[in-house]
Amino acid sequence: DLIGKGTVTFDEHISGAYAEIIRYSFKSKTREEILQYLFNLQKKSYNGLQKKNFKVEGLELQSGPLTFSLTAEEKDLTSIYFDGRQKLQMSINDVVSFMQFPKSSQYDYRRDFLYGYRKTMEYVFPDGYEITENNLRNFSKENEYLYFHFIPEKLSENHFTIETEVRLKKRIIKKDDLSRLDQFIQAVVANSNYELILENRGSFQ
């Protein structure tokens, strides 16, 4: 809305070996204990989340995908200027943290399986708002081990999506390459993080 408050809807789909790892980590817990743990985890990111608005699908199955869904009212999704402009900060730090590579090691670093993480965020601002400073921009970069893809799409002046994908290309990272890989990731973060300013071109009434 006009003061930066809005509704967040969030859906996360996990499949393949990663879904099985999550199931295995919860094997000694009851369904209620699992739901409470997952709820507390999401509550850290979405302060306005209520338990009745958090759902998990697939826990009762022995295999297959898992889906987490929530709806929450958040008070400060954007920063507001005195004249009503809204500042939206774009970041891929959450995607980068999914990787969690060491910066150095005495041994080659190994992952049990290859995997990827894809995130799509959709923003719908009130009618009359449009981007007036900076703009949506594409960014893709890869090296021997990682692939990053950061692609926004403007659907209308006040409605756009941003898709981020990161993919691990090799299970084994040589110990001598860990420092270089960390520098690569930091460069990706620096190039992908930016902010947008949106301004209400219509009436505030």
Side-chain angles (χ1 to χ4, degrees), residues 7-169:
T7 301
V8 175
T9 59
F10 174 83
D11 294 285
E12 182 172 8
H13 306 278
I14 300 171
S15 61
Y18 191 50
E20 305 315 310
I21 288 175
I22 291 179
R23 277 194 177 87
Y24 183 79
S25 69
F26 290 140
K27 67 176 184 176
S28 62
K29 297 184 180 296
T30 66
R31 178 177 174 81
E32 285 305 312
E33 288 174 333
I34 297 171
L35 289 174
Q36 187 62 51
Y37 174 82
L38 293 173
F39 172 78
N40 292 341
L41 202 61
Q42 296 297 343
K43 184 77 173 177
K44 293 178 181 179
S45 299
Y46 305 100
N47 294 325
L49 179 61
Q50 298 181 29
K51 200 166 186 179
K52 65 180 181 180
N53 296 325
F54 177 67
K55 296 181 176 60
V56 179
E57 297 179 10
L59 279 179
E60 69 283 356
L61 303 176
Q62 290 186 340
S63 63
L66 295 169
T67 300
F68 307 148
S69 303
L70 64 85
T71 301
E73 297 292 329
E74 297 296 316
K75 295 180 179 179
D76 52 359
L77 290 176
T78 64
S79 301
I80 305 295
Y81 289 91
F82 70 93
D83 58 3
R85 290 178 298 158
Q86 299 201 30
K87 178 171 70 174
L88 182 64
Q89 293 181 312
M90 319 305 298
S91 172
I92 65 167
N93 284 311
D94 58 334
V95 177
V96 170
S97 66
F98 185 73
M99 290 300 185
Q100 297 179 338
F101 298 114
K103 294 183 180 181
S104 62
S105 174
Q106 297 181 30
Y107 310 99
D108 291 347
Y109 181 77
R110 297 170 182 265
R111 281 287 171 93
D112 292 334
F113 56 92
L114 293 174
Y115 60 90
Y117 179 94
R118 179 179 295 146
K119 176 179 181 180
T120 300
M121 298 188 69
E122 179 181 18
Y123 294 89
V124 183
F125 279 80
D127 290 340
Y129 270 91
E130 61 182 69
I131 298 171
T132 57
E133 294 183 33
N134 301 325
N135 213 328
L136 299 168
R137 53 186 172 85
N138 298 347
F139 177 75
S140 293
K141 193 174 181 64
E142 65 180 307
N143 67 1
E144 181 181 355
Y145 299 106
L146 289 178
Y147 167 78
F148 280 96
H149 172 91
F150 186 78
I151 304 294
E153 180 181 2
K154 183 185 286 186
L155 304 177
S156 68
E157 290 300 325
N158 66 319
H159 184 188
F160 52 90
T161 61
I162 296 176
E163 179 182 319
T164 306
E165 181 183 3
V166 58
R167 190 167 65 243
L168 181 64
K169 297 163 64 176

